[in-house]
Each structure stands twice: as structure tokens, then as C-alpha cells.
Amino acid sequence: MEDGKMTVRAVERALDILLVFTEHTSLGLTEIAEQVGLHKSTVHRLLASLEGKGFLVRDAATEKYRLGFRVWELSAQLSGQSDDLGTLLQPEMERLRDLVGETISLYIREGNERIRIQAVQSRQAIRRVAPVGARLPLYVGASSKVLLSFADESVRDNLMSGQDWPASIDRAEFLGRLEHIRSLGYATSVEEREPGAAAVAAPIFAGAGRLAAALAVSGPSNRLDTAKMREIAPQVIEAARRMGKMMK
């Protein structure tokens, strides 16, 4: 039993190290140890294993690590699956990008976070850059509000009763906003998460009315103002409807 626990702990620690690279391109041993909260000698052994299997590559000149070819091989297998949402819906996302001229993102909910699983960048010189894989809180942003508005009541209750719920956000007022979003069929946000950014989002429903994802248009708030978001909201809703029909 003790050996089993040690093995599982080693796996968890190795995965924690890999997850550090969702936010960093390259890191040294000391930086990684600080990120995961482990002693450098422990991290060094895990890094050697990950490097040996090709999941990490060490630059001999800088002594820093970056993701290796095995990660890309796994990623390629995911993208090749016919049921991968990012691949399946990308053509429709590109169509919407060309229609509204702004960056298009696709989000799913995982626990109390949303994850951007696909993005099609705007062609405009000044644009909203949306990195794929970003994890964001569920209490701010148009996509977050969509994912909460159309989710089961238990999802909202779990989030709003948790310790991570910001004291600055009144629960009753927030629930009222979610109800309004359900009646509209879309959500908007202006500089809720970052200065100068705005977004409008709509839900994507798969078979049997299951909420599958949120489709968002985002851009600079001086270009994507309230009037513009209201204007393009029907186009976002229609694109989300088409995407839902493409899913199982």
C-alpha cells in the first residue's frame, strides 16, 4: 500500500510539473521547484524522468526546460478525433470571425472554471488575442455568465457557496443577472476581467438541449461597445445554433 501511495504521489507531482508549462514557455529547475512547492532534489529526479520519456526537453546552454515532442504527439491525436469540439467547430468559428471582424473563442466549463479550447484570431491590427488552454474564473466575463446561466442550478449553487466566491459580488444581484441572460439568450461583458476588453457570448446546446459550450466574440471595448454587441448578438446566437446541430 505504501509503495502504491508513493507511486501515485510521484505521478501527481510529475503532472503538476507539466501543468506549470501551461503558463510558461521555459523554466529552470529552481523556478519549477518554486512553482510546484517541492524540494529541488525531488524535482530534479522527476524532470529527468519526464525528459527521458520526451515530455520535456532541456536546453544545454540555458539549463531551462520546455515541453517536448511527446506532448505534441498526444495533442495531435486529440485534434484528429472527429468529436473534438475545437476541430469540429473551427470552420464555423472562422465564418463568424469573417462576419463580425473580431476574435472568436470557444469555452467549456470544468468545475468552477472555464477553459478556452479553441480560438480564431481577428485579422485586425488591434485585436483581442485569446490563447487556447487558458483557465478563467466563472464569475466574470460573458462566456462565464453564459456557462452559469444555462447550467444546472446545482452548478451555480456550488460556485456561489464556495470559499472562492468574491465578497465584492452580491449573490442575489448576480443571480438576477443570470436570469436576465437566460431571457435574452446571450451575455455581454465590458472590462470585467481585463481593461480595454469586451465580449458577447451565446450558449451552444448539443443533443437533448445539453449545454455543451459557450461561443464568444471578443475585442477592444472602444470598437466592441454596447451598441455593437447588441447588433451582432443575433449573429452569435445563430452561429451557436448551427454549431449545436453539428454536435452529437
Side-chain angles (χ1 to χ4, degrees):
M1 289 295 291
E2 285 301 317
D3 288 345
K5 289 181 181 178
M6 291 295 291
T7 301
V8 171
R9 189 177 303 131
V11 172
E12 290 177 343
R13 288 173 171 176
L15 291 173
D16 285 340
I17 288 174
L18 288 176
L19 288 172
V20 166
F21 289 90
T22 61
E23 298 181 359
H24 302 277
T25 303
S26 63
L27 290 168
L29 170 61
T30 301
E31 295 169 313
I32 296 171
E34 290 174 352
Q35 289 283 327
V36 298
L38 294 174
H39 195 277
K40 286 199 292 185
S41 60
T42 301
V43 173
H44 185 268
R45 290 195 298 271
L46 292 168
L47 288 172
S49 296
L50 290 168
E51 184 181 5
K53 291 292 185 180
F55 286 96
L56 292 177
V57 175
R58 182 174 59 88
D59 188 314
T62 64
E63 295 294 322
K64 291 196 172 187
Y65 294 83
R66 57 180 173 81
L67 291 176
F69 66 94
R70 287 295 182 193
V71 175
W72 307 121
E73 287 183 16
L74 290 175
S75 176
Q77 291 299 320
L78 174 65
S79 298
Q81 295 177 15
S82 61
D83 59 349
D84 171 42
L85 284 185
T87 302
L88 179 67
L89 302 182
Q90 184 174 343
E92 280 295 326
M93 294 175 68
E94 292 173 348
R95 181 178 183 276
L96 182 60
R97 185 269 314 276
D98 294 341
L99 191 64
V100 301
E102 301 292 353
T103 294
I104 312 300
S105 297
L106 189 67
Y107 293 91
I108 60 170
R109 181 183 65 84
E110 185 174 272
N112 288 337
E113 295 180 308
R114 59 178 162 118
I115 307 173
R116 184 183 291 115
I117 63 169
Q118 183 62 286
V120 176
Q121 309 294 347
S122 167
R123 291 195 175 98
Q124 304 208 45
I126 299 175
R127 61 184 182 270
R128 172 78 164 77
V129 176
V132 173
R135 287 179 173 266
L136 304 166
L138 272 180
Y139 48 80
V140 289
S143 296
S144 289
K145 290 183 287 189
V146 161
L147 291 172
L148 280 178
S149 295
F150 297 93
D152 292 338
E153 188 176 349
S154 59
V155 173
R156 296 191 291 274
D157 291 343
N158 180 63
L159 175 67
M160 299 178 74
S161 62
Q163 294 181 347
D164 293 334
W165 182 260
S168 59
I169 301 179
D170 181 83
R171 288 176 172 82
E173 182 184 348
F174 190 80
L175 284 173
R177 275 186 261 160
L178 297 184
E179 181 65 32
H180 183 59
I181 289 166
R182 283 195 293 275
S183 67
L184 287 176
Y186 69 94
T188 62
S189 63
V190 179
E191 300 187 340
E192 287 187 11
R193 196 177 61 81
E194 59 183 283
V200 54
I204 299 175
F205 296 104
R210 175 180 61 87
L211 177 64
L215 175 67
V217 176
S218 61
S221 55
N222 63 343
R223 193 167 66 220
L224 199 59
D225 57 19
T226 302
K228 182 64 175 179
M229 287 191 287
R230 190 182 300 117
E231 176 189 330
I232 68 173
Q235 297 168 317
V236 181
I237 293 171
E238 174 58 23
R241 186 192 64 80
R242 287 196 304 270
M243 291 179 185
K245 286 192 171 184
M246 296 169 62
M247 298 166 58
K248 296 179 181 178

